[in-house]
Amino acid sequence: MAIVVNVDVMLAKRKMTSLELAQRVGMTQANLSILKTGKAKAVRFSTLEALCRELQCQPGDLLEFVED
């Protein structure tokens, strides 16, 4: 089982760059990249909330469960 992170999809839909999102959320572009590539081991709810607020989406739009 795997959790797929769809931040890139939402960035494309919102026509926003990774740098712009990172600045709006208050995180480094490197940490956003780790999240986007699925290398993050955890996500704080406060970070998820900030991402959803800035991308105007729901947590389920960003995270997807896919069975192996």
Side-chain angles (χ1 to χ4, degrees):
M1 68 183 163
I3 301 293
V4 177
V5 181
N6 294 317
V7 172
D8 279 337
V9 174
M10 293 307 298
L11 282 170
K13 286 183 179 180
R14 301 298 185 250
K15 296 181 179 160
M16 186 183 299
T17 66
S18 294
L19 176 60
E20 183 180 357
L21 179 61
Q23 289 173 340
R24 286 184 178 193
V25 172
M27 65 190 307
T28 66
Q29 195 170 7
N31 283 340
L32 181 58
S33 177
I34 290 168
L35 180 62
K36 285 178 12 181
T37 58
K39 294 179 182 176
K41 298 294 181 191
V43 179
R44 292 179 188 222
F45 280 145
S46 59
T47 301
L48 185 58
E49 179 183 350
L51 290 169
C52 289
R53 181 183 62 246
E54 294 302 326
L55 292 170
Q56 298 177 352
C57 66
Q58 295 295 313
D61 296 327
L62 298 176
L63 303 173
E64 178 182 2
F65 173 75
V66 178
E67 290 193 50
D68 291 337

